[in-house]
Amino acid sequence: MSSPIACVGEPLRSASAIVATSARGYHTLKIDGYRCTKATPAGEFLQSSQFFVGGHCWRIYYYPNGKDSETVDYISFYLKLDEIVTEDVKTMFTINFAKVLGKRLSWPSASTTGYVFGGKQMWGYPNFIKRENLEKSEHLKDDSFTIRCDVVVVHDICTKQTSTPKFVFVPPPELNQHLGDLLKTEKGADVVFEVGGEMIPAHRCVLASRSPVFSAELFGVMKEGDTASVIHIDDLEAQVFKELLYVAYTDSLREAKEEEEDIMCQHLLIAADRYNMERLKLICEEKLCKYIDAGSVPTILALAKQYHCNGLKKACFDFLSCPAHRRAVVATDGFKNLCKSFHSLVMELIAMPSPP
C-alpha cells in the first residue's frame, strides 16, 4: 500500500461572499374608532390601502376579533401580497405599534423570521395582542391606535469571489537583514573606526545615507579615494558605537539585558544626538521612560534637558507631579547634582502646581 502524499508549503488562500440585495419600506396603519371595529365578526378583516415595497403591492389585514376560533380574544394583523406572482417573493417583515414606549423601532433584524409569499400570499401575527390588554394600554388613545409594518424584500442572493487563489507569496522585506549581514561579515568595508582601542570596519555609503553627520565626515572632509583612512572616535565606548552602527544598518535595536538596557539607552541617546539620528533618539527616549524612578529621575531629567528630549522631560515631570515622589527625589545625591548643573530645571519643578 502506498503512503499518503504529505502536503507541504503554504496553503492556497481565497475568499468569497454571499451577497443579498434587497429593498425595504414601511407602512403605518391607524385604527381610528377602535370600538366600532369590534363589531366585525371573528375571521373577518378590514384592510389597509395598497402600498408598494420592492416592486410589489401589499396590504395589511386587520382582524379585530381574531382570524379564527382560536384567536377570538386577540387582535390579528397579517401582511398580504396583493398581486398575482409567478415566482416566490422572499421577505422579512415585522408589525409593531408605531410608538413603542421607551423603544426605538428598527428594521427586521438578523433574528427576524423570513417568509415566502407566492403559493401562500399572507403571513402575520394571529396573536398580536389581547383586546383586553390593548384596552388597558397606553397604545390605545382617544379610541385609536397605530401600527407600523416594516418590510424587506429580498431580490437576489448570489455568491461573489472576493479574492483569487494566491499562488505567489511575497516574503517580508529583507533589506535590514542583508545590511546587518554586511556589517557582520565586513564584506566590502571601506572605512575603519577606532573606538576604545577597537578597530570597527563599516561602509561609507550606508552610514552616509543614514546620518547627515556621517555623510559630512565621510564625504566632506575626507578624500573620496582615501579608503584606508582610520577615523578615531574618543568620546564613545566601543560597545555603544557598535550598537549605533547596528541601528544604522538594520533600523532596529538588539535585545539587551534588562539591567543593562537603561544605561545603554542613555549612551545611545547621546550618540544619536551627535550623529543626528532622530529615530534612534526617540527610541531611546521611549525606552528610558519605563526606567524613571526616584533614583534615576535626576539623571534622566538632566539628559532630557541637555539633549532637548521633550517627551522624556514630560515623563519625568509627570513622575515628579506626585508629592511623595518629589520628597523621595529631593533626598537623593542626584537631585543635589541636578541643582548645581541645571538650576532652571529646579526652578520649573518648584513652580510645578500641586495636584488637587
Side-chain angles (χ1 to χ4, degrees), residues 236-237 239-241 243 253 256-271 284 287-292 295-296 299-300 303:
L236 287 179
E237 295 179 6
Q239 192 56 42
V240 174
F241 189 75
E243 193 63 33
L253 280 174
K257 295 180 181 178
E258 190 170 348
E259 61 272 17
E260 300 174 356
E261 186 179 54
D262 60 331
I263 301 300
M264 175 57 76
C265 283
Q266 290 180 37
H267 289 300
L268 265 180
L269 187 149
I270 297 169
C284 294
K287 287 185 176 292
L288 285 173
C289 285
K290 69 181 182 181
Y291 291 104
I292 294 173
S296 68
T299 301
I300 294 176
L303 200 67

Side-chain angles (χ1 to χ4, degrees), residues 20-277:
T21 58
S22 62
R24 63 184 188 178
Y26 69 87
H27 183 80
T28 57
L29 175 63
K30 184 176 182 180
I31 311 300
D32 197 0
Y34 161 71
R35 282 179 294 178
C36 293
T37 67
K38 290 167 66 175
T40 306
E44 294 188 14
F45 63 85
L46 304 169
Q47 65 183 12
S48 71
S49 62
Q50 253 189 1
F51 61 95
F52 298 86
V53 176
H56 297 283
C57 301
W58 307 89
R59 289 186 191 270
I60 299 170
Y61 282 12
Y62 163 50
Y63 295 82
N65 290 291
K67 187 175 182 297
D68 50 39
S69 60
E70 296 180 359
T71 57
V72 291
D73 295 327
Y74 290 84
I75 290 172
S76 304
F77 280 104
Y78 279 76
L79 177 64
K80 173 75 163 57
L81 179 61
D82 201 39
E83 62 182 38
I84 304 299
V85 292
T86 56
E87 295 182 0
D88 290 341
V89 180
K90 301 181 181 69
T91 70
M92 292 186 295
F93 74 92
T94 57
I95 299 176
N96 288 296
F97 288 107
K99 292 184 179 179
V100 179
L101 297 177
K103 180 180 177 182
R104 182 178 177 182
L105 290 179
S106 60
W107 294 99
S109 64
S111 60
T112 305
T113 304
Y115 299 91
V116 177
F117 290 79
K120 182 172 181 177
Q121 291 194 300
M122 190 166 68
W123 295 91
Y125 296 76
N127 303 319
F128 182 76
I129 190 172
K130 272 194 170 183
R131 279 190 305 281
E132 62 177 338
N133 292 341
L134 172 66
E135 291 163 8
K136 295 175 183 176
S137 75
E138 295 185 32
H139 298 299
L140 184 64
K141 187 175 182 181
D142 298 328
D143 199 32
S144 69
F145 68 93
T146 304
I147 59 100
R148 169 174 149 171
C149 178
D150 292 272
V151 183
V152 174
V153 177
V154 180
H155 287 315
D156 184 38
I157 301 176
C158 62
T159 301
K160 293 183 179 180
Q161 193 80 20
T162 56
S163 71
T164 56
K166 193 168 184 179
F167 298 99
V168 178
F169 298 90
V170 180
E174 299 173 332
L175 179 62
N176 57 345
Q177 180 184 333
H178 293 161
L179 289 178
D181 291 342
L182 194 65
L183 177 66
K184 184 178 179 181
T185 61
E186 304 174 5
K187 185 176 180 180
D190 57 2
V191 65
V192 177
F193 296 90
E194 184 181 355
V195 190
E198 289 191 43
M199 307 299 282
I200 305 173
H203 304 79
R204 295 183 183 210
C205 287
V206 175
L207 297 182
S209 69
R210 301 287 284 137
S211 158
V213 177
F214 273 130
S215 180
E217 286 184 355
L218 297 173
F219 291 103
V221 177
M222 302 184 70
K223 293 181 181 179
E224 192 170 327
D226 191 9
T227 58
S229 298
V230 175
I231 299 177
H232 300 274
I233 297 178
D234 299 321
D235 52 354
L236 287 179
E237 295 179 6
Q239 192 56 42
V240 174
F241 189 75
K242 287 179 181 178
E243 193 63 33
L244 179 80
L245 292 188
Y246 184 82
V247 175
Y249 278 70
T250 68
D251 209 28
S252 62
L253 280 174
R254 278 186 282 233
E255 290 291 329
K257 295 180 181 178
E258 190 170 348
E259 61 272 17
E260 300 174 356
E261 186 179 54
D262 60 331
I263 301 300
M264 175 57 76
C265 283
Q266 290 180 37
H267 289 300
L268 265 180
L269 187 149
I270 297 169
D273 183 79
R274 169 178 170 172
Y275 287 100
N276 199 9
M277 296 174 64

